[in-house]
Amino acid sequence: MMILMNDFKAEPPELREAMLTAAKRVIESGWYVLGNEVTVFEKQWAAACGVGYGVGVGNGMDAIEIALRALDIGPGDEVITTSMTAFATVLAILRAGATPVLADVDADSALLSLESALRCISAKTKAVLLVHLYGQVRVMTAWQVFCKKHDILLIEDCAQAHLAMWQGNVAGSMGEAGAYSFYPTKNLGAPGDAGMLVTHNASLAERAARLRNYGQSVRYHHPELGMNSRLDEIHAAMLAERMKWLAEFTNRRSKIAQAYREGITHAAVQQLAPPEEHAAHVYHLYVVTCMQRDALQDHLKSHQVQTLIHYPIPVHGQEPCRQIKRDPHGLIASERHAAQCLSLPCHPQMTDEDVGTVISAVNSFQAK
Ligand SMILES: Cc1ncc(COP(=O)(O)O)c(C=O)c1O
Protein backbone atom coordinates (compact mmCIF):
# COMPACT_ATOMS: atom_id res chain seq x y z
CA MET A 1 0.00 0.00 0.00
CA MET A 2 1.17 3.48 -0.88
CA ILE A 3 2.55 5.51 2.03
CA LEU A 4 0.63 8.76 1.71
CA MET A 5 1.56 12.37 2.43
CA ASN A 6 -1.55 12.58 4.62
CA ASP A 7 -3.90 9.89 5.84
CA PHE A 8 -6.94 11.29 7.65
CA LYS A 9 -8.77 7.98 7.44
CA ALA A 10 -6.12 6.45 9.70
CA GLU A 11 -6.72 8.98 12.49
CA PRO A 12 -7.73 7.66 15.92
CA PRO A 13 -11.42 6.64 16.10
CA GLU A 14 -11.77 8.64 19.36
CA LEU A 15 -10.86 11.79 17.45
CA ARG A 16 -13.41 11.01 14.75
CA GLU A 17 -16.08 10.43 17.42
CA ALA A 18 -15.24 13.68 19.20
CA MET A 19 -15.49 15.60 15.92
CA LEU A 20 -18.88 14.05 15.16
CA THR A 21 -20.15 14.91 18.63
CA ALA A 22 -18.94 18.49 18.17
CA ALA A 23 -20.62 18.73 14.76
CA LYS A 24 -23.86 17.38 16.19
CA ARG A 25 -23.77 19.97 18.96
CA VAL A 26 -23.44 22.77 16.40
CA ILE A 27 -26.20 21.43 14.18
CA GLU A 28 -28.52 21.12 17.14
CA SER A 29 -27.65 24.63 18.35
CA GLY A 30 -29.09 26.20 15.21
CA TRP A 31 -26.26 28.82 15.12
CA TYR A 32 -23.73 28.30 12.33
CA VAL A 33 -21.47 31.30 11.76
CA LEU A 34 -19.48 33.42 14.29
CA GLY A 35 -21.04 32.17 17.50
CA ASN A 36 -19.98 30.74 20.80
CA GLU A 37 -17.91 27.88 19.32
CA VAL A 38 -15.84 30.41 17.37
CA THR A 39 -15.37 32.60 20.45
CA VAL A 40 -14.25 29.62 22.55
CA PHE A 41 -11.81 28.37 19.92
CA GLU A 42 -10.44 31.90 19.33
CA LYS A 43 -9.68 32.18 23.04
CA GLN A 44 -8.08 28.73 23.18
CA TRP A 45 -5.89 29.26 20.15
CA ALA A 46 -4.84 32.77 21.21
CA ALA A 47 -3.90 31.40 24.64
CA ALA A 48 -1.90 28.56 23.07
CA CYS A 49 -0.05 31.16 20.99
CA GLY A 50 0.62 33.28 24.05
CA VAL A 51 -1.30 36.31 22.74
CA GLY A 52 -4.38 38.12 23.96
CA TYR A 53 -6.49 37.96 20.81
CA GLY A 54 -7.52 35.53 18.10
CA VAL A 55 -9.83 36.46 15.24
CA GLY A 56 -11.28 33.48 13.40
CA VAL A 57 -11.45 33.95 9.63
CA GLY A 58 -12.25 31.97 6.51
CA ASN A 59 -8.72 30.75 5.68
CA GLY A 60 -5.03 31.47 6.10
CA MET A 61 -4.75 33.69 3.07
CA ASP A 62 -7.49 35.98 4.37
CA ALA A 63 -5.79 36.09 7.76
CA ILE A 64 -2.75 37.65 6.04
CA GLU A 65 -4.80 40.07 3.95
CA ILE A 66 -6.84 41.14 6.97
CA ALA A 67 -3.68 41.60 9.08
CA LEU A 68 -2.21 43.88 6.41
CA ARG A 69 -5.42 45.86 5.94
CA ALA A 70 -5.95 46.20 9.68
CA LEU A 71 -2.44 47.64 9.90
CA ASP A 72 -3.24 50.14 7.12
CA ILE A 73 -0.76 48.52 4.76
CA GLY A 74 -2.07 48.90 1.22
CA PRO A 75 -1.53 50.81 -2.03
CA GLY A 76 1.93 52.36 -2.26
CA ASP A 77 3.31 50.24 0.56
CA GLU A 78 5.89 47.50 0.11
CA VAL A 79 5.96 44.20 1.98
CA ILE A 80 9.09 42.06 1.85
CA THR A 81 8.53 38.32 1.70
CA THR A 82 9.85 35.11 0.19
CA SER A 83 9.32 33.64 -3.25
CA MET A 84 9.65 30.14 -1.78
CA THR A 85 6.18 29.89 -0.26
CA ALA A 86 2.60 28.96 -1.00
CA PHE A 87 1.22 31.29 -3.66
CA ALA A 88 -1.34 32.48 -1.08
CA THR A 89 1.33 34.41 0.87
CA VAL A 90 2.04 36.76 -2.01
CA LEU A 91 -1.53 36.76 -3.30
CA ALA A 92 -2.68 38.05 0.10
CA ILE A 93 -0.28 41.01 -0.18
CA LEU A 94 -1.56 41.77 -3.67
CA ARG A 95 -5.18 41.44 -2.52
CA ALA A 96 -4.49 43.99 0.23
CA GLY A 97 -3.39 46.35 -2.55
CA ALA A 98 0.21 46.45 -1.32
CA THR A 99 3.36 45.69 -3.32
CA PRO A 100 5.19 42.45 -2.58
CA VAL A 101 8.97 42.59 -2.80
CA LEU A 102 10.58 39.18 -3.01
CA ALA A 103 13.78 38.44 -1.17
CA ASP A 104 15.83 35.27 -1.58
CA VAL A 105 16.12 32.39 0.88
CA ASP A 106 19.00 30.83 2.80
CA ALA A 107 19.97 27.64 0.98
CA ASP A 108 20.23 25.51 4.13
CA SER A 109 16.71 26.25 5.43
CA ALA A 110 14.77 27.68 2.46
CA LEU A 111 13.66 30.47 4.81
CA LEU A 112 13.85 34.18 4.02
CA SER A 113 17.42 35.50 4.01
CA LEU A 114 18.15 38.52 6.21
CA GLU A 115 20.90 39.63 3.88
CA SER A 116 18.61 39.52 0.87
CA ALA A 117 15.78 41.24 2.76
CA LEU A 118 18.20 44.07 3.57
CA ARG A 119 18.74 44.64 -0.16
CA CYS A 120 14.94 44.87 -0.60
CA ILE A 121 14.39 47.68 1.92
CA SER A 122 13.20 50.96 0.46
CA ALA A 123 11.51 54.11 1.74
CA LYS A 124 8.18 52.41 0.97
CA THR A 125 8.80 49.24 3.00
CA LYS A 126 6.16 48.83 5.69
CA ALA A 127 6.54 45.20 6.78
CA VAL A 128 8.32 41.90 6.51
CA LEU A 129 5.95 38.96 6.07
CA LEU A 130 8.00 36.09 7.44
CA VAL A 131 6.94 32.60 6.39
CA HIS A 132 7.74 29.79 8.83
CA LEU A 133 8.16 27.41 5.92
CA TYR A 134 7.77 23.65 6.51
CA GLY A 135 7.24 24.32 10.24
CA GLN A 136 10.59 25.99 10.94
CA VAL A 137 11.05 29.06 13.10
CA ARG A 138 14.56 30.49 12.92
CA VAL A 139 16.58 33.53 14.00
CA MET A 140 13.54 35.45 15.24
CA THR A 141 15.58 37.75 17.44
CA ALA A 142 17.54 38.85 14.38
CA TRP A 143 14.28 39.52 12.51
CA GLN A 144 12.89 41.52 15.41
CA VAL A 145 16.06 43.60 15.52
CA PHE A 146 15.98 44.04 11.73
CA CYS A 147 12.37 45.28 11.77
CA LYS A 148 12.96 47.61 14.66
CA LYS A 149 16.07 49.07 13.06
CA HIS A 150 14.23 49.81 9.80
CA ASP A 151 11.03 50.87 11.56
CA ILE A 152 8.90 48.28 9.82
CA LEU A 153 6.39 45.75 11.11
CA LEU A 154 6.95 42.02 11.47
CA ILE A 155 4.05 39.80 10.40
CA GLU A 156 4.30 36.03 10.67
CA ASP A 157 2.78 33.60 8.19
CA CYS A 158 2.27 30.62 10.51
CA ALA A 159 0.24 28.49 8.10
CA GLN A 160 2.83 25.71 8.31
CA ALA A 161 4.08 26.21 11.85
CA HIS A 162 1.34 25.49 14.37
CA LEU A 163 2.72 26.34 17.81
CA ALA A 164 6.36 26.13 16.74
CA MET A 165 8.46 27.93 19.35
CA TRP A 166 11.46 30.20 19.41
CA GLN A 167 13.10 30.67 22.81
CA GLY A 168 9.81 30.14 24.60
CA ASN A 169 7.75 32.27 22.21
CA VAL A 170 5.13 30.72 19.98
CA ALA A 171 4.84 31.37 16.25
CA GLY A 172 2.44 34.27 15.73
CA SER A 173 3.37 36.01 18.98
CA MET A 174 6.69 37.49 17.91
CA GLY A 175 5.54 40.29 15.63
CA GLU A 176 2.57 42.56 15.15
CA ALA A 177 0.30 39.75 13.93
CA GLY A 178 0.39 36.07 13.07
CA ALA A 179 -1.71 34.38 10.38
CA TYR A 180 -2.71 30.75 10.81
CA SER A 181 -4.34 28.46 8.27
CA PHE A 182 -6.40 25.49 9.39
CA TYR A 183 -6.65 23.98 5.91
CA PRO A 184 -7.22 20.21 6.28
CA THR A 185 -3.62 19.17 5.62
CA LYS A 186 -2.08 21.62 8.10
CA ASN A 187 -0.74 20.37 11.46
CA LEU A 188 -4.03 21.57 12.91
CA GLY A 189 -6.63 21.34 10.18
CA ALA A 190 -10.41 21.66 9.91
CA PRO A 191 -12.53 19.49 7.63
CA GLY A 192 -12.68 22.49 5.28
CA ASP A 193 -11.22 25.99 5.03
CA ALA A 194 -10.51 27.97 8.20
CA GLY A 195 -7.94 30.41 9.56
CA MET A 196 -7.10 32.79 12.38
CA LEU A 197 -5.26 36.03 12.95
CA VAL A 198 -3.50 36.19 16.31
CA THR A 199 -2.10 39.33 17.94
CA HIS A 200 -1.15 41.06 21.19
CA ASN A 201 -2.75 44.25 19.86
CA ALA A 202 -6.34 44.82 21.00
CA SER A 203 -7.18 47.52 18.47
CA LEU A 204 -5.73 45.46 15.63
CA ALA A 205 -7.90 42.52 16.71
CA GLU A 206 -10.96 44.73 16.87
CA ARG A 207 -10.35 46.08 13.38
CA ALA A 208 -9.68 42.57 12.03
CA ALA A 209 -12.97 41.36 13.52
CA ARG A 210 -14.69 44.15 11.62
CA LEU A 211 -12.86 43.53 8.37
CA ARG A 212 -13.77 39.83 8.32
CA ASN A 213 -17.45 40.78 8.46
CA TYR A 214 -18.03 43.37 5.68
CA GLY A 215 -16.38 46.08 7.78
CA GLN A 216 -19.32 45.99 10.15
CA SER A 217 -18.86 47.53 13.62
CA VAL A 218 -22.28 46.86 15.10
CA ARG A 219 -25.10 45.20 13.21
CA TYR A 220 -25.78 46.95 9.88
CA HIS A 221 -23.23 49.70 10.50
CA HIS A 222 -20.28 49.66 8.10
CA PRO A 223 -17.68 52.29 8.92
CA GLU A 224 -15.32 50.73 6.36
CA LEU A 225 -15.28 48.27 3.48
CA GLY A 226 -14.40 44.80 4.68
CA MET A 227 -14.68 41.30 3.27
CA ASN A 228 -16.67 38.20 4.03
CA SER A 229 -14.20 35.91 5.75
CA ARG A 230 -15.93 34.44 8.77
CA LEU A 231 -15.17 31.25 10.64
CA ASP A 232 -17.94 28.65 10.76
CA GLU A 233 -19.14 27.24 14.07
CA ILE A 234 -18.83 23.66 12.85
CA HIS A 235 -15.19 24.17 11.95
CA ALA A 236 -14.39 25.96 15.22
CA ALA A 237 -16.03 23.18 17.24
CA MET A 238 -14.12 20.46 15.41
CA LEU A 239 -10.85 22.42 15.55
CA ALA A 240 -11.20 22.65 19.34
CA GLU A 241 -11.42 18.85 19.43
CA ARG A 242 -8.51 18.39 17.06
CA MET A 243 -6.43 20.85 19.05
CA LYS A 244 -6.46 18.41 22.00
CA TRP A 245 -4.39 16.05 19.85
CA LEU A 246 -2.00 18.60 18.42
CA ALA A 247 0.85 18.16 20.93
CA GLU A 248 0.83 14.39 20.49
CA PHE A 249 0.66 14.67 16.70
CA THR A 250 3.50 17.21 16.61
CA ASN A 251 5.57 14.95 18.82
CA ARG A 252 5.04 12.09 16.39
CA ARG A 253 6.05 14.28 13.44
CA SER A 254 9.22 15.18 15.33
CA LYS A 255 10.06 11.54 15.99
CA ILE A 256 9.59 10.69 12.31
CA ALA A 257 11.80 13.63 11.34
CA GLN A 258 14.51 12.48 13.73
CA ALA A 259 14.39 9.00 12.20
CA TYR A 260 14.74 10.51 8.71
CA ARG A 261 17.60 12.77 9.77
CA GLU A 262 19.52 9.83 11.19
CA GLY A 263 18.43 7.18 8.72
CA ILE A 264 18.76 8.91 5.36
CA THR A 265 22.42 8.54 4.46
CA HIS A 266 22.34 8.74 0.67
CA ALA A 267 25.19 10.95 -0.56
CA ALA A 268 23.01 12.53 -3.26
CA VAL A 269 20.20 13.46 -0.86
CA GLN A 270 20.74 16.54 1.30
CA GLN A 271 18.85 17.43 4.43
CA LEU A 272 17.98 20.94 5.53
CA ALA A 273 19.75 22.35 8.58
CA PRO A 274 18.43 20.94 11.86
CA PRO A 275 16.35 23.31 14.00
CA GLU A 276 18.29 25.48 16.44
CA GLU A 277 16.20 24.08 19.28
CA HIS A 278 13.83 21.12 19.46
CA ALA A 279 10.54 23.06 19.53
CA ALA A 280 11.58 25.40 16.72
CA HIS A 281 10.38 22.96 14.05
CA VAL A 282 6.96 21.28 13.99
CA TYR A 283 7.65 19.34 10.80
CA HIS A 284 4.60 20.25 8.79
CA LEU A 285 6.74 18.98 5.95
CA TYR A 286 9.97 17.01 5.88
CA VAL A 287 11.93 18.29 2.93
CA VAL A 288 15.15 17.01 1.38
CA THR A 289 16.96 18.26 -1.69
CA CYS A 290 18.49 16.28 -4.53
CA MET A 291 20.02 17.35 -7.85
CA GLN A 292 18.12 14.46 -9.46
CA ARG A 293 14.89 15.29 -7.66
CA ASP A 294 12.48 14.05 -10.36
CA ALA A 295 14.28 10.71 -10.66
CA LEU A 296 14.22 10.36 -6.87
CA GLN A 297 10.50 11.10 -6.85
CA ASP A 298 9.87 8.43 -9.52
CA HIS A 299 12.03 5.96 -7.61
CA LEU A 300 10.07 6.57 -4.38
CA LYS A 301 6.76 6.21 -6.19
CA SER A 302 7.87 2.84 -7.53
CA HIS A 303 8.59 1.90 -3.90
CA GLN A 304 5.08 2.92 -2.83
CA VAL A 305 6.11 6.22 -1.29
CA GLN A 306 4.08 9.27 -2.21
CA THR A 307 5.93 12.58 -2.26
CA LEU A 308 5.10 16.18 -3.16
CA ILE A 309 7.11 19.24 -4.14
CA HIS A 310 6.81 22.39 -2.03
CA TYR A 311 7.17 24.28 -4.31
CA PRO A 312 8.16 23.44 -7.89
CA ILE A 313 7.81 27.03 -9.14
CA PRO A 314 8.80 29.98 -6.95
CA VAL A 315 6.22 32.78 -6.86
CA HIS A 316 8.25 34.99 -9.24
CA GLY A 317 8.07 32.20 -11.84
CA GLN A 318 4.26 32.25 -11.87
CA GLU A 319 2.66 33.89 -14.89
CA PRO A 320 1.02 36.89 -13.13
CA CYS A 321 4.09 37.50 -10.93
CA ARG A 322 6.95 37.62 -13.42
CA GLN A 323 7.40 41.38 -13.02
CA ILE A 324 7.26 41.43 -9.23
CA LYS A 325 9.90 43.56 -7.56
CA ARG A 326 12.74 41.53 -6.04
CA ASP A 327 16.23 41.47 -4.64
CA PRO A 328 18.46 43.12 -7.27
CA HIS A 329 20.91 40.22 -6.85
CA GLY A 330 18.19 37.80 -8.02
CA LEU A 331 16.51 34.87 -6.29
CA ILE A 332 19.02 32.18 -7.12
CA ALA A 333 18.74 30.13 -3.93
CA SER A 334 14.92 30.08 -4.26
CA GLU A 335 15.18 28.88 -7.85
CA ARG A 336 17.70 26.18 -6.94
CA HIS A 337 15.58 25.01 -4.03
CA ALA A 338 12.45 24.83 -6.21
CA ALA A 339 14.35 22.65 -8.67
CA GLN A 340 15.71 20.28 -6.03
CA CYS A 341 13.25 20.03 -3.11
CA LEU A 342 11.13 17.01 -2.31
CA SER A 343 8.72 16.52 0.60
CA LEU A 344 8.65 13.05 2.15
CA PRO A 345 5.60 11.71 4.01
CA CYS A 346 5.72 12.93 7.62
CA HIS A 347 2.28 12.70 9.19
CA PRO A 348 1.28 11.48 12.66
CA GLN A 349 -0.48 8.35 11.45
CA MET A 350 2.66 6.83 9.93
CA THR A 351 3.84 3.66 11.62
CA ASP A 352 7.50 2.93 12.43
CA GLU A 353 7.38 0.42 9.60
CA ASP A 354 6.24 3.13 7.17
CA VAL A 355 9.11 5.34 8.32
CA GLY A 356 11.58 2.49 7.79
CA THR A 357 10.16 1.88 4.31
CA VAL A 358 10.64 5.52 3.34
CA ILE A 359 14.23 5.55 4.64
CA SER A 360 15.15 2.34 2.79
CA ALA A 361 13.50 3.57 -0.36
CA VAL A 362 15.47 6.85 -0.29
CA ASN A 363 18.74 5.08 0.49
CA SER A 364 18.25 2.60 -2.36
CA PHE A 365 17.98 5.38 -4.96
CA GLN A 366 20.46 4.78 -7.80
CA ALA A 367 21.75 8.24 -8.57
CA LYS A 368 23.24 8.61 -12.04
C1 LIG B 1 2.82 29.32 3.92
C2 LIG B 1 1.36 29.44 3.64
N1 LIG B 1 0.78 30.64 3.67
C3 LIG B 1 -0.53 30.80 3.45
C4 LIG B 1 -1.35 29.73 3.16
C5 LIG B 1 -2.79 29.96 2.88
O1 LIG B 1 -3.65 29.31 3.72
P1 LIG B 1 -5.11 28.89 3.20
O2 LIG B 1 -4.95 27.79 2.22
O3 LIG B 1 -5.83 28.50 4.44
O4 LIG B 1 -5.69 30.13 2.58
C6 LIG B 1 -0.79 28.44 3.12
C7 LIG B 1 -1.61 27.26 2.86
O5 LIG B 1 -1.72 26.78 1.79
C8 LIG B 1 0.60 28.30 3.36
O6 LIG B 1 1.19 27.09 3.31
Side-chain angles (χ1 to χ4, degrees), residues 303-319:
H303 283 71
Q304 303 293 307
V305 177
Q306 186 187 38
T307 56
L308 284 172
I309 298 169
H310 300 92
Y311 296 90
I313 307 169
V315 172
H316 65 283
Q318 303 290 347
E319 188 75 35

Side-chain angles (χ1 to χ4, degrees), residues 217-230:
S217 52
V218 290
R219 186 175 282 214
Y220 306 137
H221 288 256
H222 301 268
E224 66 179 321
L225 301 178
M227 30 207 282
N228 177 354
S229 183
R230 300 175 294 223

Side-chain angles (χ1 to χ4, degrees), residues 29-274:
S29 78
W31 190 280
Y32 302 134
V33 180
L34 293 187
N36 193 46
E37 302 280 353
V38 168
T39 306
V40 167
F41 178 58
E42 284 175 338
K43 290 209 166 90
Q44 286 174 348
W45 191 251
C49 292
V51 300
Y53 307 93
V55 181
V57 296
N59 54 68
M61 183 175 119
D62 285 354
I64 301 171
E65 179 183 340
I66 289 173
L68 292 170
R69 291 181 61 178
L71 289 164
D72 280 321
I73 296 174
D77 299 330
E78 292 182 355
V79 178
I80 298 172
T81 195
T82 167
S83 193
M84 182 39 63
T85 183
F87 194 67
T89 306
V90 175
L91 185 52
I93 299 171
L94 291 166
R95 295 280 309 177
T99 304
V101 181
L102 300 176
D104 209 1
V105 296
D106 286 325
D108 64 350
S109 66
L111 297 190
L112 198 65
S113 149
L114 267 159
E115 224 176 280
S116 175
L118 183 60
R119 287 192 291 268
C120 294
I121 291 271
S122 81
K124 294 179 182 166
T125 311
K126 289 284 153 50
V128 169
L129 175 52
L130 203 57
V131 179
H132 301 313
L133 194 73
Y134 306 149
Q136 312 171 84
V137 178
R138 287 182 193 270
V139 296
M140 290 307 293
T141 314
W143 280 111
Q144 286 168 328
V145 169
F146 176 89
C147 288
K148 196 157 187 201
K149 180 167 172 210
H150 296 282
D151 194 21
I152 55 180
L153 298 173
L154 179 62
I155 302 169
E156 299 175 74
D157 178 342
C158 309
Q160 302 190 1
H162 295 75
L163 306 187
M165 304 239 297
W166 169 264
Q167 295 178 356
N169 301 301
V170 180
S173 73
M174 291 175 270
E176 201 56 32
Y180 274 96
S181 163
F182 303 117
Y183 184 77
T185 57
K186 303 304 187 203
N187 284 24
L188 177 61
D193 278 307
M196 196 179 294
L197 179 157
V198 294
T199 182
H200 295 291
N201 181 334
S203 57
L204 170 57
E206 196 185 324
R207 180 131 186 239
R210 245 168 39 192
L211 286 169
R212 75 175 163 185
N213 196 15
Y214 315 138
Q216 174 173 286
S217 52
V218 290
R219 186 175 282 214
Y220 306 137
H221 288 256
H222 301 268
E224 66 179 321
L225 301 178
M227 30 207 282
N228 177 354
S229 183
R230 300 175 294 223
L231 182 57
D232 296 325
E233 288 282 279
I234 204 156
H235 286 151
M238 291 202 250
L239 281 163
E241 289 303 329
R242 295 184 67 80
M243 189 178 158
K244 294 177 190 163
W245 290 74
L246 181 60
E248 189 180 325
F249 282 0
T250 301
N251 205 20
R252 180 68 190 143
R253 286 175 187 272
S254 245
K255 289 259 158 51
I256 296 167
Q258 197 186 335
Y260 284 164
R261 190 170 294 286
E262 287 163 11
I264 295 173
T265 51
H266 199 299
V269 179
Q270 277 79 46
Q271 315 235 11
L272 297 182

Side-chain angles (χ1 to χ4, degrees), residues 277-296:
E277 50 185 287
H278 177 71
H281 199 333
V282 292
Y283 297 101
H284 173 58
L285 294 166
Y286 195 89
V287 175
V288 293
T289 60
C290 178
M291 302 262 272
Q292 298 168 51
R293 188 262 315 278
D294 295 347
L296 176 61

